[in-house]
Amino acid sequence: MSGKYYDLDLDESFINELKETLAYMVNPVTISVFVDEECETCEDTIKLINTIADASPIKNGKKMIEVKIYNKSNQEDLKEFQKQGVERVPAVTLIGGLIKYSGIPAGEEIRGFIETIMRISENDSGLEKETREELAKLKGNVHIETVITPSCPYCPYAVLLSNMFAYEAYKQNNPKILSETVEAYENMDIAEKYGVMSVPAIALNGVVSFVGVPYEEDFITYIKAAAENKLKQMVPKEEGEATGI
């Protein structure tokens, strides 16, 4: 599969661009990578994440991005798989698993992944004040699954929004949201379960709620409905841009 549906072009211009962006990191960020021996895209995932970490600046004698790699074949590492709720490989997680990528964050998705790292490092979700207040009050848990493909130019925007909802809830000491980015080609069973024809497609607690990039004010409305188990009263929305799968 490797190379058929995503480009992993870690050339000098990409690395220079990474260095320029990551130079503005404020606080250190830890990235966890979960792999297995028999996994077609695991090697590329490790290579990508290590390249990003290597491009991060050094402050106080340490790289600002720390990478931790966990292998399913290592008995000791299985505890971390369980702790962060990782069942599929490769997986890449931030903030202890509340932000999770099931599948390699390659192609167009690298942009959203880097922006997610930067916002966590800067301790700023970029969300509106009203959204932040609503996330602090959420009662129930919400699992956001954003189904994407590496070639979709709009997917990073949907993923970034989902990730920032999870991050802001975490910041508000109310970690009720899990934002999971699902790479469709590596997880065809999930894409088929939701009948995904266009990406990004966003499911909330197992219910497809958006096709395309949501507006922040609509997204928080649906997140609240999911948290209160009222999604069945809502109509799925098509917003923003989407790409055929």
Side-chain angles (χ1 to χ4, degrees):
M1 252 189 219
S2 180
K4 287 183 184 173
Y5 58 91
Y6 66 87
D7 290 319
L8 198 67
D9 191 2
L10 308 178
D11 61 12
E12 195 177 342
S13 64
F14 170 73
I15 291 167
N16 287 337
E17 198 178 322
L18 267 181
K19 285 178 178 175
E20 284 175 22
T21 304
L22 297 173
Y24 295 98
M25 288 184 74
V26 178
N27 299 300
V29 174
T30 299
I31 305 175
S32 299
V33 184
F34 296 83
V35 296
D36 200 356
E37 300 301 328
E38 297 175 21
C39 158
E40 284 190 77
T41 57
C42 284
E43 193 178 325
D44 276 352
T45 303
I46 292 172
K47 198 183 293 181
L48 171 62
I49 302 305
N50 279 338
T51 299
I52 293 169
D54 288 344
S56 69
I58 296 172
K59 292 191 180 176
N60 301 320
K62 286 180 73 176
K63 281 282 186 187
M64 288 292 277
I65 294 178
E66 180 186 10
V67 180
K68 295 184 176 178
I69 298 172
Y70 301 96
N71 196 310
K72 212 170 191 175
S73 59
N74 186 335
Q75 200 64 32
E76 279 299 302
D77 289 354
L78 291 178
K79 293 175 190 169
E80 198 63 30
F81 273 78
Q82 197 171 10
K83 184 181 172 186
Q84 295 202 32
V86 174
E87 295 174 356
R88 295 166 181 257
V89 291
V92 178
T93 69
L94 296 156
I95 56 172
L98 291 173
I99 293 174
K100 180 195 299 179
Y101 288 75
S102 292
I104 185 169
E108 296 285 345
E109 207 49 55
I110 292 173
R111 291 184 294 121
F113 182 64
I114 297 299
E115 183 62 26
T116 295
I117 291 169
M118 290 305 297
R119 292 201 190 180
I120 292 171
S121 179
E122 291 164 357
N123 197 31
D124 182 9
S125 67
L127 297 176
E128 298 288 342
K129 181 172 178 283
E130 294 79 8
T131 304
R132 299 199 304 270
E133 288 169 356
E134 292 292 353
L135 290 170
K137 296 185 291 190
L138 278 188
K139 294 287 190 288
N141 292 318
V142 182
H143 180 192
I144 307 171
E145 291 169 280
T146 309
V147 182
I148 61 104
T149 63
S151 60
C152 163
Y154 313 112
C155 291
Y157 299 104
V159 168
L160 182 61
L161 184 65
S162 300
N163 287 352
M164 289 306 100
F165 268 54
Y167 177 54
E168 186 60 50
Y170 165 80
K171 270 183 68 181
Q172 299 283 349
N173 296 314
N174 191 29
K176 299 283 188 185
I177 297 179
L178 163 60
S179 172
E180 180 176 4
T181 302
V182 179
E183 200 288 292
Y185 296 122
E186 290 168 89
N187 300 280
M188 284 303 287
D189 58 322
I190 296 177
E192 286 169 5
K193 178 177 82 169
Y194 292 131
V196 173
M197 303 298 287
S198 297
V199 289
I202 303 176
L204 305 177
N205 289 350
V207 178
V208 176
S209 302
F210 291 91
V211 176
V213 183
Y215 295 111
E216 184 179 321
E217 58 268 32
D218 286 339
F219 202 41
I220 189 61
T221 300
Y222 277 68
I223 291 284
K224 282 166 60 184
E228 295 164 15
N229 204 21
K230 293 177 180 173
L231 265 182
K232 287 177 183 172
Q233 300 166 24
M234 312 290 279
V235 177
K237 298 199 82 162
E238 292 200 16
E239 296 199 349
E241 300 284 357
T243 305
I245 191 169

